[in-house]
Amino acid sequence: MRIAFVGAGNLATNLALALQGKGHELTCIYSRTEESARQLAQQIGCPYSTSLTDINACEADIVIISIKDSALQEVASQLNTKALVVHTAGSMTIDTLPQERRGVLYPMQTFSKQKRVCFSEIPIFIEAAKAEDLLLLQELSQSISQRVVEMTSQQRQYLHVAAVFACNFANHCYRLSANILEQHGIPFDVMLPLIDETTAKVHQLSPHDAQTGPAVRWDENVMKRHLGLLCSEQQQTIYKLMSESIHNDQLRPQENQSHRL
Amino acid sequence: MRIAFVGAGNLATNLALALQGKGHELTCIYSRTEESARQLAQQIGCPYSTSLTDINACEADIVIISIKDSALQEVASQLNTKALVVHTAGSMTIDTLPQERRGVLYPMQTFSKQKRVCFSEIPIFIEAAKAEDLLLLQELSQSISQRVVEMTSQQRQYLHVAAVFACNFANHCYRLSANILEQHGIPFDVMLPLIDETTAKVHQLSPHDAQTGPAVRWDENVMKRHLGLLCSEQQQTIYKLMSESIHNDQLRPQENQSHRL
């Protein structure tokens, strides 16, 4: 397919390269910042522009908008094209786009410039206003991922907040752990086997069943000592709140069970 | 070496099997609960007992106590042996043990009955009151792990609280994520590729540099919408607190930098 990109950030870069790798034709890359547009266009070997008029003029079957959520509505309103217009934002509804032919292609992953990701394992959640456009998005998505799921905007917003917990907040737990280690001269990489195993476990057990540590056992001596070792009030507050939440969760097996049905 | 075990829980089971696998002789397994002692002893093929007198009487070079922290001091006080006595508790000091020949062997990992772990990658932190016993512990630990580190009780307590953040709290983030998905009929395994990548990233980038999401960008629209989707007050409080902590952390790159030096 012929694809134009509005945006040249982390997600756009990873997605554009993955699509090109599967033989799709990138027809134009737009970015507000010329340097970003040029960088990605050079990697792809396609034209770039800092004017949306060029996106409207270029030949494309699909225009993928991958920019920050707050700019989405305004930028989309300037697109005047017969192509299918889709955005990649997990937390924005399909109706943020004014186009009749509108859709969403949300690859649920954490993208950083410094690390390329392999798309084939990334779940892609798609939605389209028209049935034929859904088929188009399905075909495009399946060309790069083994796991393509249709999902409404309504459901996708819960997926997005769940992803914030599983990714951003889990990573912040690593960060807080690294902070403590740094303050005491212990290298962070001693923690990696534990982090790897914690992740490996939830492939086999539910996170509820996989939980260990002083909060599950409600070992008040250990928790009290831990609180005394933490040097910032924010760390202490997080320690208390997470421990209480773990403990509450363990006390409610019946309720948790029912969620699984 | 000849090794006796006091305790037959998750850690004791995993450690005893690993040691036997490397040719060490298990001479006796003690547990308060006969059923636990028998189960582990049968797997190993060694005697078991519910009386500490049998541990005192058995031939052993090292007695490993692996029981809950709160019982450690009292149980250790009943041991009367010429062997080196060590415990496996990350958060307890070496001096919890009254023996002259005392030590610590702390394998930093999350152990569940339902999942066997491979010891060779697990960092083991050791400490001993006597130099010759430290060598003994080193030899024993190196027989099952590639990563054996000497560490004082003082430092180990920081390691332990850091492990609570990196393992228990990160896993609880998975649990909260699973809760949200369950409530909306989305299977948890769609989250696994994201969880795997979040973990893979901190092998290459620091957790600070790896962070993504609405809290880093301080995207108040998205965060406000997310808060509206969460159905419990505790989830909302955790969402706010973690987001603020991520944001504060991003505002302090200089301070973080200095910790790394």
Side-chain angles (χ1 to χ4, degrees), chain A:
Chain A
M1 299 183 202
R2 294 167 305 171
I3 299 157
F5 261 87
V6 174
N10 294 341
L11 200 164
T13 299
N14 277 278
L15 182 56
L17 290 168
L19 288 169
Q20 192 191 37
K22 294 296 174 181
H24 300 287
E25 184 192 345
L26 281 289
T27 55
C28 188
I29 309 276
Y30 160 92
S31 170
R32 213 174 38 166
T33 323
E34 187 170 350
E35 182 52 24
S36 306
R38 179 170 41 220
Q39 263 185 21
L40 179 52
Q42 275 175 352
Q43 283 184 74
I44 299 282
C46 75
Y48 66 90
S49 171
T50 56
S51 161
L52 287 169
T53 328
D54 291 321
I55 295 291
N56 290 331
C58 83
E59 293 284 325
D61 302 303
I62 303 184
V63 176
I64 298 178
I65 315 178
S66 184
I67 60 179
K68 64 179 181 189
D69 296 1
S70 53
L72 184 56
Q73 192 158 28
E74 207 235 307
V75 168
S77 73
Q78 295 173 54
L79 286 177
N80 184 10
T81 170
K82 285 181 182 159
L84 167 61
V85 177
V86 304
H87 73 68
T88 59
S91 71
M92 305 296 279
T93 68
I94 187 173
D95 295 329
T96 315
L97 304 175
Q99 284 77 16
E100 244 182 86
R101 292 188 64 197
R102 63 190 179 277
V104 179
L105 185 159
Y106 170 49
M108 190 172 70
Q109 193 48 284
T110 167
F111 297 99
S112 292
K113 277 187 192 124
Q114 308 94 317
K115 186 173 185 303
R116 281 279 166 276
V117 295
C118 166
F119 258 84
S120 67
E121 299 293 326
I122 301 177
I124 299 183
F125 299 89
I126 57 169
E127 184 182 11
K130 292 172 182 290
E132 60 269 30
D133 287 336
L134 189 66
L135 290 175
L136 201 66
L137 274 186
Q138 201 158 34
E139 197 189 327
L140 185 74
S141 304
Q142 283 173 348
S143 73
I144 53 171
S145 165
Q146 297 164 9
R147 189 151 190 177
V148 178
V149 183
E150 192 194 342
M151 192 175 275
T152 63
S153 292
Q154 172 69 11
Q155 275 227 301
R156 199 178 53 250
Q157 62 183 343
Y158 291 104
L159 188 72
H160 192 251
V161 66
V164 167
F165 278 89
C167 170
N168 306 151
F169 293 173
N171 182 72
H172 192 55
C173 293
Y174 303 156
R175 173 56 181 152
L176 294 169
S177 179
N179 265 343
I180 298 166
L181 296 176
E182 281 164 14
Q183 282 160 13
H184 299 280
I186 306 171
F188 177 65
D189 65 354
V190 299
M191 210 49 84
L192 292 176
L194 178 60
I195 288 173
D196 289 346
E197 175 66 13
T198 305
T199 299
K201 272 172 102 170
V202 295
H203 284 255
Q204 288 186 29
L205 308 174
S206 74
H208 176 269
D209 293 343
Q211 192 57 280
T212 59
V216 170
R217 302 190 299 267
W218 204 245
D219 187 334
E220 291 186 274
N221 284 326
V222 172
M223 292 191 288
K224 211 170 158 183
R225 256 181 287 134
H226 280 173
L227 282 171
L229 297 172
L230 298 173
C231 64
S232 92
E233 211 180 301
Q234 198 165 43
Q235 279 178 350
Q236 289 171 345
T237 313
I238 291 173
Y239 187 96
K240 275 187 239 173
L241 191 61
M242 293 296 272
S243 296
E244 282 163 17
S245 180
I246 289 172
H247 188 56
N248 289 345
D249 187 51
Q250 296 287 328
L251 293 176
R252 287 190 301 234
Q254 288 318 308
E255 190 190 318
N256 297 326
Q257 207 60 38
S258 75
H259 287 159
R260 247 173 247 146
L261 298 176

Side-chain angles (χ1 to χ4, degrees), chain B residues 1-6 19 27 55-56 58-66 76 79-88 94 97-105 125-141:
Chain B
M1 299 183 202
R2 294 168 305 172
I3 299 158
F5 261 88
V6 174
L19 288 169
T27 54
I55 295 290
N56 289 332
C58 82
E59 293 285 322
D61 302 304
I62 304 183
V63 176
I64 299 178
I65 314 178
S66 184
L79 285 178
N80 184 11
T81 170
K82 284 181 181 160
L84 167 61
V85 177
V86 304
H87 73 68
T88 58
I94 187 173
L97 304 175
Q99 285 76 14
E100 244 182 87
R101 292 188 63 197
R102 63 190 179 277
V104 179
L105 184 158
F125 299 90
I126 57 169
E127 184 181 11
K130 292 173 182 289
E132 61 270 30
D133 287 335
L134 188 67
L135 290 175
L136 201 66
L137 274 186
Q138 200 159 35
E139 197 189 327
L140 184 73
S141 305

Side-chain angles (χ1 to χ4, degrees), chain B residues 18-35:
Chain B
L19 288 169
Q20 192 191 38
K22 293 297 175 181
H24 299 288
E25 184 192 346
L26 281 290
T27 54
C28 189
I29 310 277
Y30 161 91
S31 170
R32 212 175 37 166
T33 324
E34 187 171 349
E35 182 50 27

Side-chain angles (χ1 to χ4, degrees), chain B residues 3-251:
Chain B
I3 299 158
F5 261 88
V6 174
N10 294 340
L11 201 164
T13 300
N14 277 278
L15 182 56
L17 290 168
L19 288 169
Q20 192 191 38
K22 293 297 175 181
H24 299 288
E25 184 192 346
L26 281 290
T27 54
C28 189
I29 310 277
Y30 161 91
S31 170
R32 212 175 37 166
T33 324
E34 187 171 349
E35 182 50 27
S36 307
R38 180 172 38 222
Q39 261 185 21
L40 179 53
Q42 275 175 352
Q43 283 184 75
I44 299 283
C46 75
Y48 66 90
S49 172
T50 57
S51 161
L52 287 168
T53 327
D54 290 322
I55 295 290
N56 289 332
C58 82
E59 293 285 322
D61 302 304
I62 304 183
V63 176
I64 299 178
I65 314 178
S66 184
I67 58 178
K68 63 180 181 189
D69 295 1
S70 53
L72 183 56
Q73 193 159 26
E74 207 235 306
V75 169
S77 72
Q78 296 173 53
L79 285 178
N80 184 11
T81 170
K82 284 181 181 160
L84 167 61
V85 177
V86 304
H87 73 68
T88 58
S91 70
M92 305 297 278
T93 67
I94 187 173
D95 294 330
T96 314
L97 304 175
Q99 285 76 14
E100 244 182 87
R101 292 188 63 197
R102 63 190 179 277
V104 179
L105 184 158
Y106 170 49
M108 191 172 70
Q109 192 50 282
T110 166
F111 297 99
S112 292
K113 279 189 192 122
Q114 308 95 318
K115 188 174 184 302
R116 281 280 165 275
V117 296
C118 167
F119 258 84
S120 67
E121 298 293 326
I122 301 177
I124 297 183
F125 299 90
I126 57 169
E127 184 181 11
K130 292 173 182 289
E132 61 270 30
D133 287 335
L134 188 67
L135 290 175
L136 201 66
L137 274 186
Q138 200 159 35
E139 197 189 327
L140 184 73
S141 305
Q142 282 173 349
S143 73
I144 52 170
S145 165
Q146 296 164 10
R147 190 152 190 176
V148 178
V149 183
E150 191 193 343
M151 190 175 275
T152 63
S153 292
Q154 171 69 11
Q155 275 226 302
R156 200 178 53 250
Q157 62 183 344
Y158 291 105
L159 187 72
H160 192 250
V161 65
V164 167
F165 278 90
C167 169
N168 305 152
F169 293 173
N171 181 71
H172 192 56
C173 293
Y174 303 157
R175 173 56 181 152
L176 295 169
S177 179
N179 265 345
I180 299 166
L181 296 177
E182 281 164 14
Q183 281 159 15
H184 298 280
I186 306 170
F188 177 65
D189 66 353
V190 298
M191 210 48 85
L192 293 175
L194 178 60
I195 287 174
D196 289 346
E197 176 66 13
T198 306
T199 299
K201 272 172 101 170
V202 295
H203 284 255
Q204 288 185 31
L205 308 172
S206 74
H208 176 268
D209 292 343
Q211 193 57 281
T212 58
V216 170
R217 303 190 299 268
W218 204 244
D219 187 333
E220 291 186 273
N221 284 326
V222 172
M223 292 190 289
K224 212 170 155 184
R225 257 181 288 134
H226 280 174
L227 283 171
L229 297 173
L230 298 173
C231 64
S232 92
E233 212 180 301
Q234 197 165 44
Q235 278 178 350
Q236 289 171 346
T237 312
I238 291 174
Y239 187 97
K240 275 187 237 171
L241 191 60
M242 293 296 273
S243 296
E244 282 163 15
S245 181
I246 290 171
H247 188 56
N248 288 346
D249 187 52
Q250 295 287 328
L251 293 175

